[in-house]
Amino acid sequence: MELSIIRHETTGAPPNQCNKSETITKFEIMGGASVRDETIPIHLLLGGFDLTPTLRDVDKKFSMRCYLNLVLIGENRHHFKQQITSFHQDLA
C-alpha cells in the first residue's frame, strides 16, 4: 500500500493550457496484501513538506491543487484512489 501527495498546477487559458504535476512525497504504508475488511490507521505529518495553499481559478488562468493518491496492491490486482485535498493558510 502506497500513499503519495501530488501537486497539480494548471496555467493559461484553453486551448493553450499547460498542466504540470509533481510528486511531493511518497510513503509505503505496508508491504504485502492486507486482509479483507482490515482497517489501517494512517497518521500523516505535513509540517516537513513545502505545501502551499490551494488556489482555484485565479483570474481563470491559474490553479494549483494537491491530491492524495492511494495505491492498494491486492492479489494480482492494483486499486487506485485519488482525492483532492485543500490546504488553507492561517493568517493569525
Side-chain angles (χ1 to χ4, degrees):
M1 183 183 315
E2 292 179 354
L3 180 69
S4 57
I5 301 173
I6 299 170
R7 177 184 300 146
H8 183 77
E9 296 179 4
T10 303
T11 56
N16 300 324
Q17 209 168 37
C18 179
N19 296 316
K20 178 182 167 187
S21 293
E22 173 187 7
T23 301
I24 297 172
T25 187
K26 184 183 278 189
F27 297 99
E28 183 172 338
I29 298 171
M30 65 180 285
S34 61
V35 179
R36 186 175 188 88
D37 296 328
E38 180 181 11
T39 301
I40 302 165
I42 299 170
H43 188 115
L44 184 60
L45 300 174
L46 301 175
F49 302 109
D50 183 26
L51 299 173
T52 55
T54 300
L55 302 171
R56 293 190 182 139
D57 299 326
V58 178
D59 289 335
K60 304 276 187 216
K61 294 185 181 180
F62 179 78
S63 67
M64 194 210 51
R65 294 187 171 125
C66 287
Y67 294 87
L68 285 176
N69 190 37
L70 180 66
V71 179
L72 299 171
I73 302 168
E75 295 177 10
N76 302 323
R77 294 170 48 185
H78 286 62
H79 303 277
F80 299 94
K81 175 67 178 174
Q82 195 171 68
Q83 180 68 42
I84 295 175
T85 306
S86 295
F87 296 108
H88 302 279
Q89 184 176 10
D90 186 15
L91 300 175

